[in-house]
Amino acid sequence: MPETQAPPRPRTDGAEPAAAARPFADALRYAAPALLGYAAVRLTGLAILLAVAAARGQDGVLRLHGRWDSLWYQRIAQHGYGHTAVLPDGTLHSDLAFFPLLPALERALHALVPPLDVAGAGLLVSWAASVAAAWGIFAVGARLYGRRAGVLLAVLWGAYPTAFVQSMAYTEALFTALAAWSLYAVLRDRWVSAGLLAVGAGLTRPVAAALVAAIAVAGVRRLAARRGSGVRPRRVVAGVLLAPLGWLGYVCFVAVREGRPFAYFDVQAGWDNRIDGGAALARFVAGQFAVNAFAGAGLCAAFAVLGWALWAALRLRPALPVAVYGVAVVVVSLVGSGYFGSRPRLMMPSFLLLLGPAVALAGLRRRWAPAVVVGAAGVASGAYGALTLLGAGPP
């Protein structure tokens, strides 16, 4: 076994790494290894997708912006809300299930650059957001466990099994960018900035409730320990109160538009998205065993890996808001009744799941070992992404 160093302990004194106080150019240089590594992994995934698609005579780029949820966002960007699809069984799928920030950005970018259609605008927004997300993840990891761990955390996020979604005109990259930088702002006691970023996250995905909870818990703890800390209580309270406004604002918008106080939840129910405490998930797992014992066992093994990843992260004692956010994203992703094939994608914003491997790799004395592990993970992720995107079902 390779020799390892003791994992770096999280900083608890509030001290800011020297690079974080530098101007933008210096901060960019400080984050450059993470951003370059992330870009390399994602470009590898895209290259594998395009190569497999060409071999099959399919359009790989079209799969990034021309199917599934991407089309709903484009329709909203072009025509606003108001479209409802009626399925053969009479089920109603309303576009009000989709939050407004991504289509608003698509529409704005299309207006600024008219030759760029909303589909291309969605890809550019997602690609830019994915880099911002990698930077934010690096910033959180570097602040807590050092630069090397931060680099590996960001690059591993680019090699996540469903990382291909980061290159699609979907909301995961945009949401993760806003969430990561919001958490970083909390770690730096920039509470108003954290709240404003959480507003954006709340206009992007419903799982922003996890970020709101993290900011609230961290805020209460900070207020309880504020004596002698130099933190202004009013700014903490302002950040905590700002955080839920994006999510609440959109839920209220749907309620007013539909004339029912709980209309948003009715819309989600039309898509079979309900919070049932995991009952539907348990039935799904049992059904897999009934159809194929190996499939059921494989699913249970995946849950075991998920549990290990959470345990490995929490034993490192990450900062409270990072822990609350990461665990809450996973829980929210598991307790709903929606399409089960999307669960890995829905958990992807929880970069907490990658913290244990990132810190472990950062502690290896053999400098080449992390590159080998990350490279293999990137190729595996790219191959899985190509097979998934070129398949029939949505991610």
Side-chain angles (χ1 to χ4, degrees):
M1 296 179 61
E3 296 180 347
T4 61
Q5 299 170 331
R9 299 182 65 84
R11 294 184 175 92
T12 58
D13 58 0
E16 180 68 11
R22 297 170 181 168
F24 177 81
D26 287 343
L28 180 60
R29 279 192 289 270
Y30 183 69
L35 301 183
L36 292 173
Y38 173 79
V41 169
R42 292 305 320 126
L43 288 173
T44 298
L46 288 174
I48 293 173
L49 168 64
L50 296 178
V52 175
R56 293 185 174 187
Q58 296 175 282
D59 187 342
V61 176
L62 180 64
R63 300 302 175 112
L64 298 176
H65 67 76
R67 300 184 71 188
W68 307 305
D69 292 2
S70 297
L71 296 178
W72 286 88
Y73 288 117
Q74 291 168 31
R75 187 181 289 111
I76 295 168
Q78 292 172 315
H79 308 294
Y81 287 101
H83 176 74
T84 299
V86 182
L87 275 61
D89 63 359
T91 301
L92 301 180
H93 282 185
S94 169
D95 60 6
L96 289 169
F98 297 90
F99 278 53
L101 186 56
L102 176 60
L105 293 174
E106 290 177 336
R107 184 168 186 160
L109 186 55
H110 169 62
L112 289 172
V113 188
L116 186 69
D117 60 13
V118 292
L123 283 180
L124 286 182
V125 169
S126 186
W127 292 348
S130 69
V131 175
W135 195 345
I137 291 169
F138 161 77
V140 171
R143 180 171 179 82
L144 294 179
Y145 297 99
R147 187 186 189 192
R148 184 171 168 82
V151 169
L152 287 163
L153 184 62
V155 178
L156 284 173
W157 189 69
Y160 186 88
T162 57
F164 59 88
V165 178
Q166 298 167 21
S167 302
M168 298 177 67
Y170 269 43
T171 55
E172 275 75 12
L174 179 60
F175 172 79
T176 305
L178 292 164
W181 284 109
S182 179
L183 291 170
Y184 181 68
V186 170
L187 295 178
R188 295 188 61 203
D189 279 329
R190 303 293 191 262
W191 291 92
V192 174
S193 296
L196 291 173
L197 288 162
V199 170
L203 292 171
T204 306
R205 291 191 63 80
V207 76
L211 179 62
V212 172
I215 293 174
V217 170
V220 170
R221 181 177 181 179
R222 200 70 171 114
L223 289 173
R226 74 179 185 273
R227 185 170 298 176
S229 66
V231 178
R232 298 178 183 177
R234 285 180 295 181
R235 298 189 72 82
V236 178
V237 172
V240 171
L241 293 179
L242 278 170
L245 294 185
W247 187 89
L248 286 175
Y250 183 66
V251 170
C252 290
F253 164 77
V254 177
V256 171
R257 182 185 177 95
E258 297 297 292
R260 304 188 309 277
F262 301 106
Y264 170 75
F265 302 99
D266 296 335
V267 167
Q268 289 290 351
W271 286 80
D272 194 28
N273 288 327
R274 302 177 181 86
I275 300 298
D276 63 5
L281 178 61
R283 290 194 297 270
F284 178 77
V285 174
Q288 292 300 301
F289 274 106
V291 173
N292 187 317
F294 289 105
L299 192 56
C300 289
F303 284 121
V305 172
L306 175 63
W308 172 85
L310 284 174
W311 172 82
L314 295 177
R315 70 187 292 267
L316 293 170
R317 300 178 64 186
L320 180 64
V322 176
V324 172
Y325 164 77
V327 172
V329 169
V330 173
V331 171
V332 170
S333 302
L334 294 178
V335 298
S337 61
Y339 175 60
F340 291 97
S342 295
R343 301 306 170 97
R345 169 174 67 86
L346 298 179
M347 286 186 281
M348 187 172 62
S350 178
F351 52 87
L352 177 74
L353 295 171
L354 303 169
L355 188 59
V359 171
L361 289 172
L364 294 178
R365 294 185 184 276
R366 297 177 180 176
R367 294 289 188 177
W368 50 265
V372 172
V373 173
V374 170
V379 172
S381 172
Y384 175 74
L387 294 176
T388 302
L389 282 175
L390 298 174

